[in-house]
Amino acid sequence: MQVVVRGLGAPPDTSTGPVIVVGGHSPVFTGCRVAARHESVVENEEDGTEIAVCDPVAWSQVWPRLRRFYS
Protein backbone atom coordinates (compact mmCIF):
# COMPACT_ATOMS: atom_id res chain seq x y z
CA MET A 1 0.00 0.00 0.00
CA GLN A 2 1.23 3.49 -0.79
CA VAL A 3 0.18 6.45 1.34
CA VAL A 4 -0.36 9.67 -0.58
CA VAL A 5 -0.04 13.05 1.07
CA ARG A 6 -1.21 15.76 -1.31
CA GLY A 7 1.61 18.17 -0.39
CA LEU A 8 4.23 15.70 -1.60
CA GLY A 9 3.16 15.58 -5.24
CA ALA A 10 1.50 12.94 -7.37
CA PRO A 11 2.38 9.27 -7.05
CA PRO A 12 3.81 7.66 -10.18
CA ASP A 13 1.39 6.14 -12.67
CA THR A 14 3.02 2.79 -11.88
CA SER A 15 1.12 2.88 -8.55
CA THR A 16 -1.83 0.85 -9.75
CA GLY A 17 -3.39 -0.49 -6.56
CA PRO A 18 -6.75 0.44 -5.10
CA VAL A 19 -7.21 3.88 -3.56
CA ILE A 20 -8.32 4.38 0.05
CA VAL A 21 -10.53 7.45 0.49
CA VAL A 22 -11.29 8.68 4.00
CA GLY A 23 -14.38 10.84 4.37
CA GLY A 24 -16.06 12.85 1.67
CA HIS A 25 -16.90 11.82 -1.85
CA SER A 26 -14.60 13.06 -4.56
CA PRO A 27 -15.86 12.95 -8.16
CA VAL A 28 -12.34 11.81 -9.16
CA PHE A 29 -12.63 8.26 -7.81
CA THR A 30 -14.91 5.56 -9.20
CA GLY A 31 -16.01 2.12 -8.12
CA CYS A 32 -15.86 3.10 -4.44
CA ARG A 33 -17.12 0.65 -1.85
CA VAL A 34 -17.42 1.55 1.82
CA ALA A 35 -15.08 -0.81 3.66
CA ALA A 36 -15.49 0.59 7.16
CA ARG A 37 -16.75 3.48 9.24
CA HIS A 38 -14.63 5.20 11.84
CA GLU A 39 -16.14 4.77 15.27
CA SER A 40 -14.65 7.10 17.82
CA VAL A 41 -14.76 6.44 21.54
CA VAL A 42 -15.55 10.14 21.85
CA GLU A 43 -18.60 11.52 20.04
CA ASN A 44 -17.32 14.12 17.56
CA GLU A 45 -17.58 15.18 13.91
CA GLU A 46 -15.27 12.35 12.80
CA ASP A 47 -17.47 9.64 14.28
CA GLY A 48 -19.07 7.65 11.46
CA THR A 49 -16.62 8.83 8.78
CA GLU A 50 -16.65 6.44 5.83
CA ILE A 51 -13.49 4.70 4.68
CA ALA A 52 -13.86 3.53 1.09
CA VAL A 53 -11.82 1.40 -1.29
CA CYS A 54 -11.92 2.79 -4.83
CA ASP A 55 -10.71 1.62 -8.23
CA PRO A 56 -7.12 2.41 -9.29
CA VAL A 57 -6.52 5.70 -11.13
CA ALA A 58 -3.96 7.20 -13.50
CA TRP A 59 -2.43 9.63 -11.00
CA SER A 60 -0.96 11.98 -13.61
CA GLN A 61 -4.48 12.65 -14.88
CA VAL A 62 -6.40 12.92 -11.61
CA TRP A 63 -3.83 14.72 -9.45
CA PRO A 64 -4.51 18.23 -10.82
CA ARG A 65 -8.23 17.78 -10.09
CA LEU A 66 -7.48 16.57 -6.57
CA ARG A 67 -5.35 19.61 -5.91
CA ARG A 68 -8.27 21.86 -6.83
CA PHE A 69 -10.81 19.68 -5.02
CA TYR A 70 -8.94 19.70 -1.70
CA SER A 71 -7.26 23.11 -1.82
Side-chain angles (χ1 to χ4, degrees):
M1 179 192 326
Q2 181 172 2
V3 175
V4 177
V5 178
R6 74 175 170 98
L8 299 178
D13 281 339
T14 56
S15 294
T16 58
V19 178
I20 305 297
V21 177
V22 179
H25 296 282
S26 168
V28 172
F29 302 110
T30 60
C32 297
R33 300 156 307 282
V34 175
R37 283 189 172 66
H38 171 69
E39 294 185 20
S40 178
V41 295
V42 177
E43 189 174 325
N44 60 29
E45 67 276 356
E46 295 173 355
D47 198 31
T49 299
E50 291 181 348
I51 302 168
V53 179
C54 302
D55 293 339
V57 296
W59 289 107
S60 62
Q61 297 196 7
V62 301
W63 196 258
R65 292 190 302 177
L66 286 175
R67 294 289 294 171
R68 283 193 294 277
F69 185 79
Y70 290 108
S71 294

